Amino acid sequence: MPIPTELVGSLPRPMKLQEAYEDYDQGKIDFDQLKAEQDEAAEDSIKRLEATGSPIVTDGEQRESSFATYPITDTLAGTGLADNLAGDGQYFAIFDDGHHRQLPRLTGGPFRYKTFASEFVEKNKRIASHDVKQAVIAPSMLMLLYPLEEEIDGYSRDQFLADLCDEVEKDIRQCFDAGAVRVSVDFTEGRLANKNDSRNPWTGKDMLDEFIALNNQVLDRFSPEERVNIGIHTCPGGDCDSVHSKDVPYEKLLSKMFNINAGYFLIQCASEDDKEKVYKLCGEHRRDDANGVSQKCFMGVIDPLTPDVETPEQVRDDLLKAAEHIGAENLGATDDCGFSPFSRDVKPAHGSPDFARDVAMQKISARLEGARMASEELGI
Ligand SMILES: [Zn+2]
């Protein structure tokens, strides 16, 4: 079987769609008008991905406020926030360029999703002729909705975590039921967990083991056959062409991440200074038997944060080197991150989000061609 390849999930939102989100926040258009813009951009994403030959497509997350907040708010400004939440929660991340993203704060129970990702899968299945995947958010991210130190009156942390795991399980199952062939779980907080950023207290609380245990609480509800198609995505962040945790030594995460009983991993690597070190760590720590599944490593061969388009030859060479350490049979190819995980992102290094969409398609084409060339060279 040739090296399997898929994107993480998101694509830049066209400027027209970003303006529609803004107009919706300001009450200039209603939700149906916003939805029409989202649907148009989603359809364009699918069509353009299919034109590259991508075997698996997404809608580029055009209908999502962000990869992390789609279940609980319609926009990043907090329009359409779910029940029992307020806007002023913890920083999810402070990025290297100085901007930050903030999560809502839980004010009481019960915690319930207002939007499940299967809603997008259903719509995308009606448009796509190729297989559809969906990215969902990890429980380890949404556990940060609960205040870091204090308990909420009448809604204990334990009760919240139990409710959260139920919602995430439902989110994943419903995506498969709606026809997704794969579901990947975004785990960008993994590397950030060892950041020790004094401006962002949760990153100094050594929460990685807790994150992994919580994610396994959900994954362990799925059979090995199901988990073959459940992935985990790790990256040092990717927003407004900036990162949040690339300075955290990767081995702190990679030595533990494969304890998550997922079948495959989408692993940022193209933007690392020492890629071979990452291949070695992955080869060393991936497991042939993670509670019944053999773990595949989809290595990032494309950097979505720069407008420089990788060549197929670069992709091929990276994958051949990775195969030496990971084994061709355990190898896949992906991008380092989604191309725009948050709905408001003008892609400053690219000049505009519309140009960044064009660049993304060129990069994805290079990944596909490079993976094909590597497979040929490996005789698989
Ligand atoms: Zn990412």
Side-chain angles (χ1 to χ4, degrees), residues 23 49 53 77 83 108 113 145 152-153 162 169 175 184 207 222 230 236 259 263 265 283-284 289 291-292 299 316 372:
D23 286 347
L49 284 169
D83 292 342
Y113 279 15
L145 295 172
I152 295 173
D153 243 1
E169 180 191 2
C175 285
S184 58
M207 293 176 81
F222 292 86
I230 300 178
N259 291 329
F265 292 80
E284 198 178 306
D289 182 4
N291 268 3
M299 303 311 296
R316 175 199 61 198
R372 193 197 59 74

Side-chain angles (χ1 to χ4, degrees), residues 67-68 92-93 95 137-138 140-141 185-193 202 211 232-238 244-245 253 337 341-342:
F67 72 107
F92 144 56
F95 289 79
I137 191 59
S140 51
M141 166 69 82
V185 180
D186 285 327
F187 183 49
T188 180
E189 63 282 13
R191 192 161 175 183
L192 189 55
W202 76 261
F211 284 174
I232 292 283
H233 164 57
T234 177
C235 68
H244 54 55
S245 56
L253 174 68
C337 189
F342 293 86

Side-chain angles (χ1 to χ4, degrees), residues 199-261:
R199 300 166 301 172
N200 195 11
W202 76 261
T203 67
K205 288 201 66 178
D206 204 12
M207 293 176 81
L208 183 57
D209 291 334
E210 208 177 329
F211 284 174
I212 289 171
L214 188 70
N215 292 339
N216 269 340
Q217 269 190 48
V218 173
L219 282 177
D220 290 346
R221 299 176 182 189
F222 292 86
S223 69
E225 293 72 28
E226 290 169 323
R227 279 183 287 117
V228 166
N229 292 313
I230 300 178
I232 292 283
H233 164 57
T234 177
C235 68
D239 181 32
C240 302
D241 294 330
S242 186
V243 293
H244 54 55
S245 56
K246 206 161 155 242
D247 51 344
V248 176
Y250 215 166
E251 47 269 53
K252 288 197 178 196
L253 174 68
L254 293 178
S255 62
K256 291 184 172 176
M257 182 181 73
F258 295 98
N259 291 329
I260 300 176
N261 293 318

